[in-house]
Amino acid sequence: MESPIANQLNTVFVHVSDLKRSVKWYCELLGQEFEEENIELPIYNMEINDYTGLILDAGANGTKIVKPSPHPLFNFHTDDIDRAYQFTTDEDYQVVSDLIRFEDLSFFHLKDPDGNIIMICNG
């Protein structure tokens, strides 16, 4: 039987406790302009390239209690892992791993304001 579900990752939901704080953090990390007046509870749809979206979700009443995973659930791509690592350390993001290098892949982890582990990866 042919599945009616597309073989495509559509949207990643990141559960957050403070929507404005998280929108600002992700906007700064991704080089997007932060416009506080465009934030409306309970979610914020980040502008992301290509097919996959990113929605920051503070819950129906805007007071979600977040229990972050100790493992990254997704990654943001970079073409220059060294520059990305330097940027995040220079800008005081909470980098929680060293830069890990393999032959065809390098990455590091940082925490968002709720403790969600985000991977930055060049592979």
Side-chain angles (χ1 to χ4, degrees):
M1 180 163 98
E2 185 177 325
S3 175
I5 301 169
N7 183 15
Q8 162 185 325
L9 184 61
N10 190 41
T11 305
V12 173
F13 278 78
V14 176
H15 301 280
V16 301
S17 60
D18 182 328
L19 191 60
K20 288 180 184 178
R21 177 184 69 176
S22 294
V23 170
K24 184 176 190 296
W25 189 90
Y26 279 89
C27 282
E28 290 173 354
L29 178 69
L30 299 175
Q32 296 183 16
E33 188 173 332
F34 173 68
E35 297 175 347
E36 186 173 340
E37 62 275 7
N38 292 336
I39 301 170
E40 293 182 30
L41 289 172
I43 64 170
Y44 184 83
N45 192 356
M46 297 290 302
E47 293 182 24
I48 301 293
N49 294 338
D50 300 319
Y51 298 107
T52 304
L54 176 64
I55 291 181
L56 304 179
D57 181 0
N61 59 7
T63 58
K64 185 173 277 191
I65 297 172
V66 177
K67 295 180 182 175
S69 169
H71 309 287
L73 301 178
F74 66 93
N75 73 68
F76 288 120
H77 177 76
T78 181
D79 288 326
D80 188 338
I81 194 72
D82 294 304
R83 186 168 164 232
Y85 188 81
Q86 190 66 49
F87 169 78
T88 56
T89 56
D90 288 350
E91 296 297 318
D92 292 326
Y93 287 92
Q94 189 179 357
V95 178
V96 295
S97 76
D98 292 330
L99 184 52
I100 309 297
R101 296 179 190 272
F102 295 99
E103 187 174 322
D104 60 349
L105 170 81
S106 297
F107 65 90
F108 64 95
H109 299 151
L110 50 102
K111 283 187 180 179
D112 79 357
D114 282 295
N116 296 302
I117 305 295
I118 309 300
M119 178 185 283
I120 310 297
C121 184
N122 72 345

